[in-house]
Amino acid sequence: MSGRMGLALTGATLLIAAVLLPERAEAQFGIRGGPLGVARFAVGHMLGMSRLRHSRMAVRGSRYRSAALRAQDPRGAERGQPANPYMLRAALTAQAALAGWQGGRRMQGWWRHPDGSYGWTGPVFWPFAHDDLTNAIILGDVTSLSLYGYGDIYAAIFAPYAATELAAYTAPQGRRGRRVPTAEALCDASDTGGLPVDRIAAAVAPNELQRTALDELASAWTSARDMIRAACPAQAPAAAAERLGLMRERLDAMIKAIDAVAPPLAKFTDLLDDEQKARLNALGGERRAALASMQRRDSSKEANKDPSKDAQAAAACDADSDPRYDEKLQRQYEQLVQQQWPANDIAATLRLDETARARFEVLQDTALRTMQTLSACPAEAAATPQARLTAARARLQTMLQAVNGVADALDDFEADLSDEQKAGFEAIGPKRGA
């Protein structure tokens, strides 16, 4: 991240921390294998959201909204307190995501990630995409990548924004004091990171040949950022199919960006000796240790922490956990599915015939299966940058395949719907957020 943007985001963090930051990231639970894993994911997700329900995610006026994108407050550096990057990310994306939703009047967004950040900010899918890849590949921190999955696909199908709210994100900049940031501004603000060249150089102490390869890698990293940036939407998506299309474009750009940096990364690491490689690999351990320290510090400040919730969350991610023998888990899962997929109500409202109803059930089942394929349970980070690059690519490819499957099911469902029925389907998401 550039010095200018780093300073800006640090200032934004300090300015809005009191009202926007979540108590703690509860993203590390999900599912593993088999149909029963869906229940584990649902329970883990609900536990995380119940904790976050107490975090104050309100957007308190245009001063806070504009601060997320334009703050230049340098006090963070003066205080010498490193900002938790996930708290900062939650604050920034909450500002941007809620500014255009319900006129910025609602305190929370139901489509947010368990850590308080947002995978969709208006029409922009996956803000911080380039930074997330840098953190995952170079620093061994896959936390953010694990947050993306079923919830984002569901939010693409049932977008919470009304058409006018989404359009505000792509309207041209005009008056001063604009309340809703543009999609272009969001993409610029969230994808500012680059390869941490100075940090890598300090760790490996490269010779002249190695430094040249490192510079080539940095250049490729910048080009990769531009690939992702080019997938920023210029127009507001009007329908679920278009939103899924935006997801596919963004994911495809991220995969191509990974492919672009793979050869120069291999070239650079191949030039390192074993000791230098060990020091490069250790950067990931340092990052994880620093984040763990921040999380311990933050959790120690929680006055009314309920340790049983942590135990439940851990159990939800346990591969040996079997929800068949826990009536409470089963009931919570059924309530979640009924809340998100009221198939009977939707069929009645849209006046679906038997064929359309069956196709809707296929769409529902296809989307729910992405809970399994895109588990949010924590995974051990690979030891080397090349291995982490391969893992990140595989994760994105899996998500792209999941989105493609849902998009195909949606196309089948809408194939024979009338324009009136399609309009009614598009109205479901905004009504849920009303």
Side-chain angles (χ1 to χ4, degrees), residues 355-356 359 408-418 421-422:
T355 300
R359 289 174 175 173
D408 289 344
L410 177 65
D411 286 345
D412 290 342
F413 166 61
E414 292 189 326
D416 297 324
L417 296 186
S418 67
Q421 287 173 312
K422 291 178 181 178

Side-chain angles (χ1 to χ4, degrees), residues 227-228 230-233 242 244-254 400:
M227 289 181 189
I228 298 172
C232 186
E242 295 177 15
L244 289 170
L246 286 176
M247 293 184 76
R248 287 190 286 193
E249 290 176 11
R250 189 78 160 172
L251 290 166
D252 186 60
M254 294 172 72
L400 179 58

Side-chain angles (χ1 to χ4, degrees), residues 50-111:
S50 67
R51 176 70 59 83
L52 287 162
R53 194 171 294 118
H54 301 290
S55 65
R56 295 187 293 170
M57 296 296 295
V59 177
R60 304 293 179 90
S62 60
R63 177 166 65 94
Y64 294 124
R65 296 187 190 96
S66 60
L69 294 175
R70 297 189 289 104
Q72 299 292 330
D73 187 348
R75 288 173 292 174
E78 293 176 0
R79 294 181 181 180
Q81 296 179 351
N84 186 318
Y86 298 106
M87 286 185 166
L88 184 149
R89 149 199 210 105
L92 176 59
T93 56
Q95 292 280 352
L98 299 182
W101 184 55
Q102 297 293 310
R105 296 187 298 273
R106 295 302 298 267
M107 293 180 63
Q108 299 185 36
W110 57 256
W111 69 106

Side-chain angles (χ1 to χ4, degrees), residues 137-170:
I137 296 170
I138 301 300
L139 302 178
D141 179 8
V142 298
T143 304
S144 296
L145 264 65
S146 71
L147 298 182
Y148 285 85
Y150 164 76
D152 303 294
I153 295 173
Y154 180 86
I157 299 172
F158 299 109
Y161 299 95
T164 54
E165 294 171 339
L166 271 180
Y169 285 93
T170 53

Side-chain angles (χ1 to χ4, degrees), residues 320-338:
D320 296 327
S321 175
D322 193 339
R324 289 178 301 177
Y325 307 114
D326 192 321
E327 293 182 3
K328 183 177 180 180
L329 300 191
Q330 290 281 26
R331 187 164 57 252
Q332 287 177 325
Y333 167 64
E334 291 168 2
Q335 289 172 350
L336 177 65
V337 173
Q338 177 60 27

Side-chain angles (χ1 to χ4, degrees), residues 130 133-134 137-138 194-195 216-225 261:
H130 186 260
L133 292 181
T134 302
I137 296 170
I138 301 300
L195 189 73
E216 291 174 0
L217 176 59
S219 178
W221 219 269
T222 300
S223 297
R225 179 197 63 198
V261 301

